[in-house]
């Protein structure tokens, strides 16, 4: 596709529910990143994949957060037993493996936990 | 731990004015620095990327400078227009060999008044 796409764009969950957020990176992009952006804050790193390998998951705030990219393209960020503090915009970015450092961001998924 | 600070948090200027946004970072061992623009409800758009060996980058009315030793970068916007109204984010990537994650500041919200 022309850019990074994310779905759903908006998600409302009741506290305790599990959610799954999807990211479709730019075709052929090797690296994929997840960031969490709370209201009025800058994005904060969650995790990073190179192809299907998860190379850095140091930003995942708890073991309720899990990310996967099984075939090296589409990625899913799963949050189990959602809490109110999980409410944020979840941004996905992808980067080509060849020579450029620019990360291309999707529009984000706004998660609201009631 | 790398920390990125952006000053001011918000800025309101009349159309046509030249302006400077500031970014500082605590660890000078960076690989590159990027400036992004974020419009409400949308993802991030990369504006300029400066490698650690470079001093500045220019694109149209935008000019970004980098002083790695002092941990500072500035984004200069010439002849501002109402369409420049957005939040501007600065992000640094750690030195080569480390994770490719970006560390963001909280952003400067710019309003350009007609």
């Amino acid at each position: 596709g022309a850019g990074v796409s994310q779905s759903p764009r908006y998600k409302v969950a009741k506290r305790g529910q599990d959610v799954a957020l999807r990211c479709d990176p730019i075709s052929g992009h090797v690296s994929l990143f997840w960031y969490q952006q709370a209201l009025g804050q800058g994005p904060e790193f969650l995790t990073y994949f190179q192809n299907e390998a998860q190379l850095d998951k140091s930003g995942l705030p708890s073991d309720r957060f899990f990310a996967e990219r099984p075939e090296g393209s589409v990625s899913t960020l799963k949050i189990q037993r959602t809490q109110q503090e999980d409410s944020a915009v979840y941004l996905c970015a992808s980067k080509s493996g060849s020579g450029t450092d620019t990360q291309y961001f999707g529009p984000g998924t706004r998660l609201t936990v009631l | 731990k790398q920390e990125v600070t952006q000053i001011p948090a918000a800025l309101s200027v009349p159309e046509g004015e030249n302006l400077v946004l500031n970014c500082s970072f605590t660890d000078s061992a960076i690989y590159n620095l990027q400036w992004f623009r974020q419009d409400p409800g949308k993802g991030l758009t990369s504006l300029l990327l400066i490698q650690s060996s470079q001093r500045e980058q220019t694109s149209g009315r935008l000019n970004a400078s980098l002083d790695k030793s002092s941990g500072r970068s500035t984004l200069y916007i010439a002849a501002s227009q109402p369409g420049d109204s957005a939040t501007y984010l600065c992000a640094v990537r750690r030195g080569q060999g480390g994770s490719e994650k970006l560390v963001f500041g909280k952003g400067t919200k710019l309003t350009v008044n007609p």
Side-chain angles (χ1 to χ4, degrees), chain A residues 55-72:
Chain A
L55 298 187
D56 187 347
K57 54 182 181 179
S58 61
L60 296 176
S62 77
D63 59 7
R64 296 186 295 104
F65 287 71
F66 172 77
E68 60 183 5
R69 193 187 186 198
E71 297 179 358

Side-chain angles (χ1 to χ4, degrees), chain B residues 2 25-32 52 68 93-96:
Chain B
Q2 178 73 272
F25 45 95
T26 54
D27 186 348
S28 62
I30 64 168
Y31 185 66
N32 60 43
S52 62
K68 200 173 80 159
R93 179 186 158 185
R94 191 180 165 186
Q96 194 168 14

Side-chain angles (χ1 to χ4, degrees), chain B residues 8-27:
Chain B
L11 181 63
S12 181
V13 301
E15 181 177 4
E17 192 161 298
N18 302 325
L19 58 101
V20 174
L21 307 182
N22 296 290
C23 171
S24 62
F25 45 95
T26 54
D27 186 348

